[in-house]
Amino acid sequence: MANKILVETSARHVHVTAETLEILFGKGHTLTNKKDLSQPGQFACEEKVTVKGPKGAIKASILGPTRPADQVELSLTDARTIGVANVPVRESGDIAGSGACILEGPCGSVELKEGVIAAKRHIHMTPADAAELGVSDKEIVCVKLETARPLIFDDVVVRVSDKFALAMHIDTDESNAACAFGTVYGSIVK
Ligand SMILES: [Zn+2]
């Protein structure tokens, strides 16, 4: 395998608990799979919610399946647009003390005291991928994107699991900065 990693842009999205899903969409509601994502078992949903901040609101899709905690992943541009302050750059699941917002669905709303983050750029890979690329779980690497506006991203965290598939995830701000449109690949720079 060459040092060639698919780079995908994660649009803003929301992860919800089963409890929050019922408040937003009604008792007994389950998520509707719209599109499978690159990571096995993960899917974009038909369900959209409104993310409200002090200065505005934006729509975001829910990604399934449901999770143990509510989490909103915005670009820092999105966060600024709706006026949510203190949005840290974090790995998924690390939400203590992160940004606050209100989630609104067709049947109700939920106030999140924390949970709004800008996702730290990362590469999902299997143990076999890690061995071939010579990296390990939680290692921080640089990745060069070969695009019309090439960019080397520093501080990219490697995440290794046999439940993953090889793909790097960046947010829309990062994607726009690098013109990472269409099918884009990156390589780890040692
Ligand atoms: Zn990811």
Side-chain angles (χ1 to χ4, degrees), residues 88-112:
V89 176
R90 294 270 185 88
E91 284 188 60
S92 186
D94 179 14
I95 57 168
S98 60
C101 73
I102 291 167
L103 294 183
E104 206 170 72
C107 296
S109 63
V110 174
E111 184 179 355
L112 303 188

Side-chain angles (χ1 to χ4, degrees), residues 104-158:
E104 206 170 72
C107 296
S109 63
V110 174
E111 184 179 355
L112 303 188
K113 300 228 177 323
E114 61 185 18
V116 185
I117 63 169
K120 181 175 177 134
R121 45 193 176 240
H122 57 276
I123 311 171
H124 298 273
M125 64 178 74
T126 64
D129 295 326
E132 290 220 39
L133 291 162
V135 295
S136 54
D137 190 41
K138 297 190 170 62
E139 188 172 338
I140 301 296
V141 297
C142 295
V143 178
K144 181 173 186 185
L145 270 57
E146 304 292 352
T147 59
R149 188 157 60 165
L151 189 57
I152 297 174
F153 285 108
D154 198 346
D155 203 23
V156 181
V157 64
V158 171

Side-chain angles (χ1 to χ4, degrees), residues 8 10 39 73 120 122-124 159 167-169:
E8 298 178 315
S10 293
Q39 300 310 307
E73 297 182 39
K120 181 175 177 134
H122 57 276
I123 311 171
H124 298 273
R159 296 171 57 190
M168 175 171 171
H169 286 156

Side-chain angles (χ1 to χ4, degrees), residues 21-149:
L21 183 65
E22 288 201 331
I23 295 170
L24 299 177
F25 287 89
K27 191 120 192 84
H29 191 89
T30 55
L31 291 168
T32 312
N33 184 333
K34 182 182 182 186
K35 181 174 178 275
D36 283 326
L37 302 175
S38 68
Q39 300 310 307
Q42 304 293 304
F43 54 94
C45 300
E46 298 285 357
E47 287 82 2
K48 285 183 163 45
V49 295
T50 301
V51 181
K52 287 175 118 175
K55 287 204 259 175
I58 46 176
K59 288 268 190 194
S61 293
I62 295 178
L63 293 196
T66 54
R67 288 201 181 183
D70 297 315
Q71 177 172 296
V72 179
E73 297 182 39
L74 299 180
S75 72
L76 294 174
T77 299
D78 290 334
R80 184 178 291 253
T81 300
I82 64 171
V84 178
N86 305 320
V87 173
V89 176
R90 294 270 185 88
E91 284 188 60
S92 186
D94 179 14
I95 57 168
S98 60
C101 73
I102 291 167
L103 294 183
E104 206 170 72
C107 296
S109 63
V110 174
E111 184 179 355
L112 303 188
K113 300 228 177 323
E114 61 185 18
V116 185
I117 63 169
K120 181 175 177 134
R121 45 193 176 240
H122 57 276
I123 311 171
H124 298 273
M125 64 178 74
T126 64
D129 295 326
E132 290 220 39
L133 291 162
V135 295
S136 54
D137 190 41
K138 297 190 170 62
E139 188 172 338
I140 301 296
V141 297
C142 295
V143 178
K144 181 173 186 185
L145 270 57
E146 304 292 352
T147 59
R149 188 157 60 165

